[in-house]
Amino acid sequence: MRVTRRTTAAVATAVALIMTLAACGGTPGEAAAPSVRNHTNVSVYTWWAAGVEKTGLDALVTVFEEQHPDIEFKNDSVTGGGGSAAKDNLQSRLENQNPPDTFLVHAGAELDDYIKGGYVQDVSGLYKKFGLTDVFPKDLIRQLSTDDGKIYSVPSNIHRANMMWANPKVLQDNGIDPSAEYDSIDAFIADLDKLEQAGVTPLSVGTTWTQVHLLETVLLGTLGPDAYSGLWDGTTDWTSLEVTTALQNFKTLMSYTNADRSNLDWPEATQMVIDGDAAFNIMGDWAVSAFDEAEMKLGTDYVAVPAPGTAGTFDFLADSFTMSANILDPENTEAWLETVSSVEGQVTFNKIKGSIPARTDIDRDEFTEYQRMAIKSFDEDTIVSSLAHGAAVPVSRLNAITEATNDFVGDNGHQDVATFQAALAATTN
Ligand code: GAL
């Protein structure tokens, strides 16, 4: 527990209460121990609050209710894709000592601040208890583990961030080969230009976090996996010419996007491709669940290819769940984590979410053609960490990058690339 002035006050109150109980003849031990029976639910904090994301969560809850019928699931979710609103709200709840029992967090650097703050409990004991250590990929276990070998969350799934979705009819109508993968951003820009000339919205995007997502794939597509990873471990110079080129590419791509972008979250931006109102959308593979829901068929009704210049790379992120510190009833949270990590939980959830199970001991044939492609890519390709989805950097640095991106784009392109680059470079300090 982090010792704050508030905890000191809480301890003083508890001591006073115990003294009062002792004076009344009560047993201090009884008063202090939280009763499991007083607390029959588990509050689960996510940003899967609406649409297909909620459908995925609901499916997981169905498994939870079957596996643990005596515990009530309490949906504690905050709208906003990518956790854009949830993370700030969560932070103030944690600081105010009002934690949900468990919260959604990305595996990787995003956990750092929560661990440092003392907001999450070490759950490595559950890995032994549920037999998880060998069923998750080694790379994922490494992402989840701290230097001293502790693990603070349990993964539900793995997503690929560097995917591009396209409407083949829109492409065909405008003389563009719908099966084409772009091996460079320059080749992509040439086709975006063709679409723009024809009066079609070439590329759909949404509010700031989706623009940071786009920026991430452009950095990866321009720099390649090694230099991209170097941006996060300090071996790539943010002020280099390659980064300038990447940011120029980002600026160019943004100039081909829809003007109403700041009003849209990812589902609406992806919907533009589903409806044929835009040709392309670059988004993580949770987007496939929207195409599935619209009953569109891969290859015929929609196209899914790696974002331009990123073939051969799997831009990785994993959703995972914590056990908050200082909660009344860890047993109920343990039950939730058991469901999240169970074979049945992972199969049921991932079939709807579009992601691949974090567990490797699952029959791959149960999944869709897109998911089998993602599993193959995860097995064979170079894995890099997602910026926008918590694998590469802690929340505080992502916030700084998001702010710089918002200033750059929000200024309607009036801010120059050099200012943007300097602002991004400053986030390394
Ligand atoms: C990601 C999350 C995904 C999906 C997406 C859009 O951060 O890992 O599971 O929810 O945001 O909201």
Side-chain angles (χ1 to χ4, degrees), residues 325-339:
N326 304 321
I327 51 173
L328 192 57
D329 184 6
E331 280 176 41
N332 290 353
T333 304
E334 185 175 318
W336 172 253
L337 298 179
E338 185 177 21
T339 295

Side-chain angles (χ1 to χ4, degrees), residues 46-181:
T46 71
W47 53 88
W48 298 332
V52 277
E53 295 186 327
K54 181 169 184 303
T55 312
L57 177 62
D58 289 346
L60 186 56
V61 172
T62 310
V63 178
F64 178 67
E65 286 169 350
E66 274 162 27
Q67 292 182 346
H68 300 283
D70 52 331
I71 306 170
E72 192 194 334
F73 170 84
K74 201 168 147 225
N75 191 341
D76 205 352
S77 57
V78 170
T79 323
S84 46
K87 284 185 209 156
D88 279 353
N89 178 281
L90 174 67
Q91 189 60 30
S92 47
R93 283 186 61 173
L94 296 175
E95 283 169 14
N96 291 319
Q97 298 184 5
N98 176 28
D101 293 321
T102 169
F103 59 87
L104 175 59
V105 67
H106 294 113
E110 188 171 296
L111 275 156
D112 292 2
D113 293 342
Y114 300 118
I115 297 170
K116 272 192 217 123
Y119 297 129
V120 284
Q121 300 191 39
D122 173 15
V123 291
S124 45
L126 296 184
Y127 277 67
K128 285 194 199 87
K129 188 165 174 184
F130 302 150
L132 302 178
T133 315
D134 295 329
V135 299
F136 293 134
K138 288 209 166 35
D139 277 341
L140 178 56
I141 295 274
R142 210 170 307 124
Q143 285 263 3
L144 288 163
S145 306
T146 57
D147 291 344
D148 54 0
K150 292 182 177 158
I151 303 184
Y152 289 86
S153 68
V154 173
S156 50
N157 59 318
I158 294 172
H159 272 302
R160 187 180 188 189
N162 58 319
M163 287 305 297
M164 183 159 83
W165 314 89
N167 186 310
K169 181 160 184 326
V170 174
L171 298 183
Q172 242 155 5
D173 288 351
N174 291 285
I176 295 168
D177 174 6
S179 61
E181 290 187 18

Side-chain angles (χ1 to χ4, degrees), residues 47-48 53 80-84 87 104-106 110 156-157 159 209 213 265-267 283-284 286 317-320 349 353 355 386 388-390:
W47 53 88
W48 298 332
E53 295 186 327
S84 46
K87 284 185 209 156
L104 175 59
V105 67
H106 294 113
E110 188 171 296
S156 50
N157 59 318
H159 272 302
W209 80 262
H213 186 109
D265 207 318
W266 79 264
M283 187 39 57
W286 43 90
L317 65 119
D319 294 311
S320 66
F349 174 65
K353 191 69 168 60
S355 36
S386 167
H389 306 280

Side-chain angles (χ1 to χ4, degrees), residues 268-289:
E268 295 85 33
T270 302
Q271 191 66 35
M272 290 178 72
V273 171
I274 294 175
D275 293 343
D277 294 334
F280 296 105
N281 174 237
I282 292 180
M283 187 39 57
D285 60 7
W286 43 90
V288 80
S289 61

Side-chain angles (χ1 to χ4, degrees), residues 251-273:
K251 184 171 181 170
T252 308
L253 258 51
M254 284 302 300
S255 74
Y256 288 108
T257 62
N258 43 305
D260 62 349
R261 53 193 173 240
S262 59
N263 302 324
L264 313 182
D265 207 318
W266 79 264
E268 295 85 33
T270 302
Q271 191 66 35
M272 290 178 72
V273 171

